[in-house]
Amino acid sequence: MRNIALFLSYLGTAFHGWQMQKDLPTVQETLEKAICKVVGHPVHVTGCGRTDAGVHAKCYVANFKTTSTIPVDRLPYALNTHLPADVVVTKAFDVHEGFNAIGSCARKEYTYIIYNSRVRDPFYVNRAWFYPRHLDEKVLQRAADQFVGTHDFAAVRSVGTDVKSTVRTVYYYHVERQGDLLYLRVCANGFLYNMARAMAGTIVYAAEGKFEPEEIGRILEEGNRTAAGPTVPAGGLYMTHLWYEDGVTKFECPG
């Protein structure tokens, strides 16, 4: 039995997230159906994370097990003939038997994009969050810096998934402006449900003057979700970089 890892990219607008759901289109279901047609038997695909409805992935890693002997260099082309235009497999390779797309992932990076202009651009609908009031990227960065380190992130997550601990480590949170676009890039060893979107909403609240950036530390300590910012729209969020290192396999998936 072979264990095969895939790199893929997808636009999440038409999907109800990654995770299989009854009577709703998901990326996992779409990918599993395509793989089944290529390898000739049903498969279960493990994804690197449960992206929400409308969230995109410039880089996503999934793995599945198969008895097929199809060479890995031919798999992306074969799979893409059975996938819709908004899901593309870019690479396939053999991994060791114990590799798991979510369990073997050491770090993840999400990027949230804000279209910060007084005039809406139709080409960014469901691709970035339109925000007409000017945001000072320096204030956003001061606020983002407060999240770096190991903290209890209960104040910036939505209830919906049971976890053993809400403590995570954020390695960096960078804010960059390119014209009217703001890119918020955050890397952590794991993300809670809606954590990346709630963090983005919180630093925007700070830029709006609702509280000082330095107050975010207190908000995290208190663990009060209502004191932090809102969960911003899903269409601006992208999974953009993944790091793997499980003692046997080591690679990156850059978006």
Side-chain angles (χ1 to χ4, degrees):
M1 183 75 72
R2 299 164 70 196
N3 192 9
I4 295 177
L6 303 174
F7 283 7
L8 57 145
S9 300
Y10 58 83
L11 287 172
T13 306
F15 298 101
H16 287 259
W18 163 265
Q19 187 90 359
M20 187 86 70
Q21 296 186 48
K22 185 178 180 181
D23 300 326
L24 292 172
T26 66
V27 182
Q28 182 184 25
E29 178 187 28
T30 301
L31 185 60
E32 286 185 358
K33 287 181 177 179
I35 295 173
C36 180
K37 290 177 181 178
V38 171
V39 302
H41 63 81
V43 298
H44 172 74
V45 177
T46 299
C48 62
R50 293 178 59 182
T51 56
D52 297 330
V55 173
H56 317 292
K58 289 193 173 182
C59 183
Y60 191 94
V61 174
N63 74 287
F64 68 97
K65 295 186 177 180
T66 180
T67 54
S68 171
T69 59
I70 298 175
V72 287
D73 60 337
R74 291 176 53 191
L75 264 177
Y77 303 101
L79 291 173
N80 288 334
T81 62
H82 298 286
L83 288 169
D86 46 6
V87 181
V88 177
V89 174
T90 58
K91 183 179 180 181
F93 52 99
D94 289 290
V95 288
H96 66 90
E97 182 180 357
F99 177 87
N100 179 284
I102 188 166
S104 301
C105 188
R107 300 185 181 192
K108 299 176 182 178
E109 179 195 79
Y110 281 97
T111 300
Y112 196 83
I113 303 178
I114 301 174
Y115 187 71
N116 191 207
S117 171
R118 293 182 64 186
V119 180
R120 186 187 306 273
D121 187 329
F123 291 99
Y124 287 107
V125 173
N126 295 322
R127 302 290 187 272
W129 179 31
F130 171 59
Y131 193 91
R133 186 185 304 173
H134 179 74
L135 293 169
D136 187 333
E137 58 269 30
K138 292 182 180 178
V139 179
L140 289 170
Q141 185 63 69
R142 279 173 54 204
D145 288 342
Q146 311 307 309
F147 286 113
V148 177
T150 301
H151 307 283
D152 186 331
F153 286 93
V156 284
R157 71 128 175 190
S158 297
V159 176
T161 304
D162 291 330
V163 292
K164 293 180 179 179
S165 172
T166 52
V167 175
R168 298 290 186 273
T169 298
V170 171
Y171 301 106
Y172 60 78
Y173 198 167
H174 299 319
V175 177
E176 179 186 2
R177 178 181 286 277
Q178 295 182 13
D180 291 328
L181 294 173
L182 286 164
Y183 294 87
L184 318 179
R185 301 183 188 276
V186 58
C187 173
N189 62 353
F191 288 84
L192 302 167
Y193 182 48
N194 282 340
M195 177 174 155
R197 290 162 59 192
M199 291 169 74
T202 300
I203 69 171
V204 168
Y205 256 29
E208 289 177 338
K210 288 185 166 61
F211 45 72
E212 289 297 316
E214 290 71 25
E215 290 185 53
I216 290 175
R218 174 185 56 79
I219 292 171
L220 291 177
E221 288 177 4
E222 293 176 352
N224 184 356
R225 180 68 189 91
T226 60
T231 301
V232 294
L237 186 62
Y238 298 74
M239 183 176 281
T240 48
H241 205 130
L242 299 161
W243 290 260
Y244 281 84
E245 187 170 3
D246 60 9
V248 180
T249 303
K250 183 177 181 179
F251 62 84
E252 294 183 27
C253 178

